[in-house]
Amino acid sequence: MPQAADNEGTPELPRHEVDLNGEFHFKVDGKGRMALPAKFRKVLSKDLVVTPELTNECVYVFETPDFNEWVEKLFIDRFGEYKESDREHVKLRRVLKSRARDVEVDASGRIMLSPEVRAAVGIDKEVVVVGNTGRFEIWDADRFKSMSDEVDLGLFYS
């Protein structure tokens, strides 16, 4: 019988943020399941966190450590830090965490979007999955087209 590996002395490698790129079109089935792009499934864990974007424009999908880092960054960006003794901070974090759902990638490479999450961002059937640094986004197809049509990439030129 082989001996169990002793991992106590093995230093854990630093975790690198997953960088996802591209735009992919999918359908959400009647049960709320949708496929993930194969290239995303190759680099992501099976356990993910889905949450509506702050203003309910789309759904953000994170690996768990990236979700927790995003929540922390929100507080740093807005308030400089998270203060456990500040009631507003506690309320904000509570709402952020309550909106999040843990999901698992199934054997067919799909995730489940709850009816509440789909309703919050207006997802019906057609969705666009867009890669982003540290997460990917799921948009209602019509909403994504409207948003992207309004973006002027020429702003990057001086």
Side-chain angles (χ1 to χ4, degrees):
M1 180 183 211
Q3 284 187 326
D6 180 12
N7 292 333
E8 287 183 32
T10 307
E12 193 172 308
L13 294 174
R15 188 177 172 285
H16 296 286
E17 192 172 70
V18 176
D19 193 16
L20 303 168
N21 299 307
E23 174 184 323
F24 307 88
H25 296 258
F26 292 99
K27 292 185 188 291
V28 177
D29 72 13
K31 295 181 180 179
R33 298 174 300 197
M34 59 160 288
L36 297 181
K39 74 182 261 185
F40 288 12
R41 292 191 312 254
K42 289 178 184 177
V43 297
L44 293 170
S45 66
K46 296 250 181 241
D47 298 312
L48 302 173
V49 177
V50 300
T51 188
E53 181 266 345
L54 295 176
T55 60
N56 295 334
E57 287 287 316
C58 65
V59 175
Y60 284 171
V61 184
F62 299 90
E63 290 190 311
T64 301
D66 293 326
F67 171 71
N68 291 326
E69 187 175 311
W70 175 71
V71 170
E72 185 178 324
K73 283 180 181 178
L74 288 173
F75 283 96
I76 291 169
D77 288 350
R78 183 68 175 104
F79 305 109
E81 66 181 329
Y82 173 78
K83 294 180 184 174
E84 185 71 37
S85 61
D86 185 316
R87 288 183 185 192
E88 279 306 307
H89 287 205
V90 172
K91 288 179 195 176
L92 286 166
R93 186 169 73 177
R94 180 181 301 128
V95 171
L96 287 172
K97 299 288 271 183
S98 72
R99 291 166 39 108
R101 302 285 184 270
D102 295 324
V103 297
E104 188 174 307
V105 180
D106 71 14
S108 299
R110 300 173 301 188
I111 60 171
M112 175 75 73
L113 298 177
S114 72
E116 297 82 16
V117 168
R118 286 179 294 174
V121 301
I123 287 177
D124 185 28
K125 288 235 179 249
E126 304 283 332
V127 294
V128 178
V129 177
V130 181
N132 205 329
T133 303
R135 67 174 176 263
F136 64 92
E137 301 169 358
I138 303 170
W139 288 78
D140 172 75
D142 291 335
R143 182 177 277 184
F144 181 77
K145 180 167 179 11
S146 294
M147 178 278 305
S148 61
D149 286 349
E150 294 174 6
V151 174
D152 179 9
L153 293 175
L155 292 171
F156 285 109
Y157 293 112
S158 52

